[in-house]
Short mmCIF file of all heavy atoms in Angstrom, two decimals:
data_model
loop_
_atom_site.label_atom_id
_atom_site.label_comp_id
_atom_site.label_asym_id
_atom_site.label_seq_id
_atom_site.Cartn_x
_atom_site.Cartn_y
_atom_site.Cartn_z
N GLU O 1 5.43 -2.89 0.98
CA GLU O 1 4.80 -3.15 2.33
C GLU O 1 5.51 -2.23 3.34
O GLU O 1 4.69 -1.79 4.32
CB GLU O 1 5.05 -4.56 2.62
CG GLU O 1 4.34 -5.57 1.85
CD GLU O 1 5.07 -5.96 0.46
OE1 GLU O 1 5.94 -5.26 0.02
OE2 GLU O 1 4.64 -7.01 -0.16
N ALA O 2 6.75 -2.09 3.32
CA ALA O 2 7.47 -1.21 4.37
C ALA O 2 6.92 0.28 4.23
O ALA O 2 6.63 0.88 5.23
CB ALA O 2 8.96 -1.07 3.96
N MET O 3 6.66 0.78 2.93
CA MET O 3 6.16 2.10 2.79
C MET O 3 4.70 2.19 3.31
O MET O 3 4.36 3.18 3.94
CB MET O 3 6.16 2.39 1.29
CG MET O 3 5.94 3.95 0.98
SD MET O 3 7.26 5.11 1.67
CE MET O 3 8.35 4.94 0.30
N ASN O 4 3.89 1.13 3.14
CA ASN O 4 2.65 1.21 3.57
C ASN O 4 2.57 1.13 5.02
O ASN O 4 1.73 1.83 5.89
CB ASN O 4 1.87 -0.10 3.10
CG ASN O 4 1.44 0.06 1.58
OD1 ASN O 4 1.39 1.11 1.09
ND2 ASN O 4 1.25 -1.14 0.97
N ILE O 5 3.54 0.40 5.74
CA ILE O 5 3.53 0.52 7.24
C ILE O 5 3.89 1.87 7.69
O ILE O 5 3.25 2.41 8.69
CB ILE O 5 4.49 -0.57 7.75
CG1 ILE O 5 3.99 -1.95 7.43
CG2 ILE O 5 4.82 -0.38 9.18
CD1 ILE O 5 5.04 -3.04 7.74
N LEU O 6 4.85 2.41 7.00
CA LEU O 6 5.30 3.82 7.52
C LEU O 6 4.20 4.79 7.33
O LEU O 6 4.05 5.81 8.15
CB LEU O 6 6.60 4.33 6.61
CG LEU O 6 7.73 3.46 6.95
CD1 LEU O 6 8.81 3.94 5.97
CD2 LEU O 6 8.27 3.55 8.45
N LYS O 7 3.35 4.62 6.43
CA LYS O 7 2.28 5.60 6.08
C LYS O 7 1.14 5.51 7.23
O LYS O 7 0.32 6.49 7.47
CB LYS O 7 1.44 5.25 4.79
CG LYS O 7 2.26 5.76 3.61
CD LYS O 7 1.65 5.37 2.28
CE LYS O 7 2.47 5.74 1.14
NZ LYS O 7 1.80 5.35 -0.25
N THR O 8 1.14 4.52 8.00
CA THR O 8 0.27 4.39 9.16
C THR O 8 0.61 5.19 10.34
O THR O 8 -0.10 5.17 11.29
CB THR O 8 -0.07 2.83 9.53
OG1 THR O 8 1.14 2.31 10.00
CG2 THR O 8 -0.58 2.09 8.37
N ILE O 9 1.88 5.62 10.47
CA ILE O 9 2.35 6.35 11.58
C ILE O 9 2.09 7.84 11.31
O ILE O 9 2.61 8.49 10.43
CB ILE O 9 3.92 6.14 11.74
CG1 ILE O 9 4.18 4.70 11.90
CG2 ILE O 9 4.40 6.91 12.92
CD1 ILE O 9 5.60 4.28 12.03
N HIS O 10 1.18 8.49 12.19
CA HIS O 10 0.72 9.74 11.97
C HIS O 10 1.35 10.82 12.92
O HIS O 10 0.95 12.02 12.90
CB HIS O 10 -0.84 9.85 12.09
CG HIS O 10 -1.44 9.04 10.95
ND1 HIS O 10 -1.29 9.25 9.65
CD2 HIS O 10 -2.10 7.77 11.20
CE1 HIS O 10 -1.92 8.20 8.85
NE2 HIS O 10 -2.46 7.40 9.89
N ASN O 11 2.10 10.30 13.88
CA ASN O 11 2.64 11.16 14.96
C ASN O 11 3.97 11.79 14.38
O ASN O 11 4.88 11.06 13.91
CB ASN O 11 3.05 10.36 16.12
CG ASN O 11 3.51 11.27 17.33
OD1 ASN O 11 4.10 12.25 17.11
ND2 ASN O 11 3.34 10.72 18.62
N HIS O 12 3.90 13.15 14.31
CA HIS O 12 5.09 13.86 13.63
C HIS O 12 6.40 13.83 14.37
O HIS O 12 7.42 14.21 13.87
CB HIS O 12 4.68 15.34 13.36
CG HIS O 12 3.58 15.40 12.28
ND1 HIS O 12 3.68 15.12 11.08
CD2 HIS O 12 2.30 15.90 12.66
CE1 HIS O 12 2.55 15.33 10.46
NE2 HIS O 12 1.68 15.75 11.14
N ASN O 13 6.27 13.39 15.57
CA ASN O 13 7.61 13.14 16.29
C ASN O 13 8.40 12.12 15.78
O ASN O 13 9.59 12.14 16.06
CB ASN O 13 7.23 12.85 17.81
CG ASN O 13 6.62 13.98 18.54
OD1 ASN O 13 6.83 15.09 18.34
ND2 ASN O 13 5.69 13.51 19.58
N TRP O 14 7.94 11.27 14.89
CA TRP O 14 8.71 10.16 14.23
C TRP O 14 9.10 10.46 12.77
O TRP O 14 9.74 9.73 12.22
CB TRP O 14 7.84 8.86 14.35
CG TRP O 14 7.50 8.53 15.72
CD1 TRP O 14 6.36 8.77 16.35
CD2 TRP O 14 8.25 7.68 16.61
NE1 TRP O 14 6.39 8.19 17.60
CE2 TRP O 14 7.51 7.48 17.78
CE3 TRP O 14 9.56 7.07 16.43
CZ2 TRP O 14 8.02 6.82 18.89
CZ3 TRP O 14 9.90 6.42 17.56
CH2 TRP O 14 9.17 6.24 18.82
N ASP O 15 8.84 11.75 12.33
CA ASP O 15 9.14 12.12 10.95
C ASP O 15 10.47 11.94 10.50
O ASP O 15 10.76 11.49 9.45
CB ASP O 15 8.64 13.53 10.79
CG ASP O 15 7.15 13.74 10.56
OD1 ASP O 15 6.56 12.72 10.47
OD2 ASP O 15 6.64 14.76 10.54
N ASN O 16 11.54 12.34 11.45
CA ASN O 16 12.87 12.11 11.15
C ASN O 16 13.22 10.68 10.73
O ASN O 16 13.92 10.30 9.73
CB ASN O 16 13.80 12.65 12.13
CG ASN O 16 13.54 12.07 13.51
OD1 ASN O 16 12.51 11.67 13.74
ND2 ASN O 16 14.58 11.96 14.24
N ILE O 17 12.76 9.81 11.50
CA ILE O 17 13.02 8.37 11.31
C ILE O 17 12.30 7.82 10.01
O ILE O 17 12.76 7.08 9.28
CB ILE O 17 12.63 7.57 12.62
CG1 ILE O 17 13.41 7.94 13.74
CG2 ILE O 17 12.83 5.99 12.32
CD1 ILE O 17 12.98 7.41 14.98
N ILE O 18 11.02 8.22 9.89
CA ILE O 18 10.26 7.75 8.80
C ILE O 18 10.86 8.34 7.50
O ILE O 18 10.90 7.53 6.62
CB ILE O 18 8.71 8.32 8.96
CG1 ILE O 18 8.07 7.63 10.10
CG2 ILE O 18 8.02 8.01 7.69
CD1 ILE O 18 6.63 8.24 10.56
N GLU O 19 11.29 9.54 7.44
CA GLU O 19 11.78 10.09 6.21
C GLU O 19 13.18 9.37 5.94
O GLU O 19 13.45 8.97 4.72
CB GLU O 19 12.11 11.64 6.32
CG GLU O 19 10.80 12.34 6.50
CD GLU O 19 9.67 12.19 5.31
OE1 GLU O 19 10.06 12.04 4.24
OE2 GLU O 19 8.50 12.13 5.79
N ASN O 20 14.03 9.08 6.91
CA ASN O 20 15.08 8.42 6.80
C ASN O 20 14.92 6.88 6.25
O ASN O 20 15.58 6.56 5.28
CB ASN O 20 15.87 8.11 8.10
CG ASN O 20 17.27 7.64 8.00
OD1 ASN O 20 17.79 7.40 6.89
ND2 ASN O 20 17.90 7.31 9.04
N MET O 21 13.94 6.24 6.68
CA MET O 21 13.59 4.88 6.17
C MET O 21 13.13 5.01 4.76
O MET O 21 13.25 4.06 3.94
CB MET O 21 12.54 4.21 7.17
CG MET O 21 13.23 3.92 8.52
SD MET O 21 12.16 3.21 9.78
CE MET O 21 11.78 1.60 9.07
N LYS O 22 12.26 6.12 4.53
CA LYS O 22 11.78 6.10 3.09
C LYS O 22 12.96 6.28 2.11
O LYS O 22 13.04 5.83 1.06
CB LYS O 22 10.85 7.33 3.02
CG LYS O 22 9.51 7.05 3.57
CD LYS O 22 8.61 8.39 3.38
CE LYS O 22 7.25 8.04 3.95
NZ LYS O 22 6.39 9.30 3.92
N GLY O 23 14.02 7.04 2.66
CA GLY O 23 15.26 7.10 1.70
C GLY O 23 15.90 5.74 1.52
O GLY O 23 16.27 5.46 0.39
N ASP O 24 15.90 5.05 2.61
CA ASP O 24 16.44 3.60 2.45
C ASP O 24 15.66 2.81 1.44
O ASP O 24 16.22 2.07 0.83
CB ASP O 24 16.48 2.97 3.95
CG ASP O 24 17.56 3.59 4.81
OD1 ASP O 24 18.33 4.44 4.27
OD2 ASP O 24 17.38 3.28 6.05
N ILE O 25 14.32 2.99 1.51
CA ILE O 25 13.49 2.28 0.71
C ILE O 25 13.72 2.61 -0.72
O ILE O 25 13.82 1.75 -1.73
CB ILE O 25 11.93 2.48 0.95
CG1 ILE O 25 11.64 1.69 2.39
CG2 ILE O 25 11.17 1.99 -0.17
CD1 ILE O 25 10.20 2.24 2.81
N PHE O 26 13.87 3.96 -1.07
CA PHE O 26 14.19 4.45 -2.56
C PHE O 26 15.54 3.94 -2.82
O PHE O 26 15.72 3.68 -4.13
CB PHE O 26 13.89 5.94 -2.64
CG PHE O 26 12.46 6.22 -2.73
CD1 PHE O 26 11.66 6.71 -1.69
CD2 PHE O 26 11.82 5.99 -4.03
CE1 PHE O 26 10.36 6.95 -1.83
CE2 PHE O 26 10.54 6.23 -4.06
CZ PHE O 26 9.78 6.83 -3.02
#
C-alpha cells in the first residue's frame, strides 16, 4: 500500500524522499 501511494507522486522534486522511502520498504 505504501509503494502504491508513492507511485502516485509524479513531481520529480520529491524523488529523493520517495527513493529513500522505497529503500525503507524493501
Side-chain angles (χ1 to χ4, degrees):
E1 290 87 345
M3 191 67 83
N4 288 337
I5 292 169
L6 292 175
K7 287 179 184 176
T8 65
I9 301 173
H10 302 293
N11 185 331
H12 295 293
N13 294 327
W14 300 94
D15 283 351
N16 56 330
I17 297 169
I18 293 168
E19 300 302 325
N20 186 9
M21 290 176 72
K22 285 180 181 177
D24 294 343
I25 291 169
F26 281 103

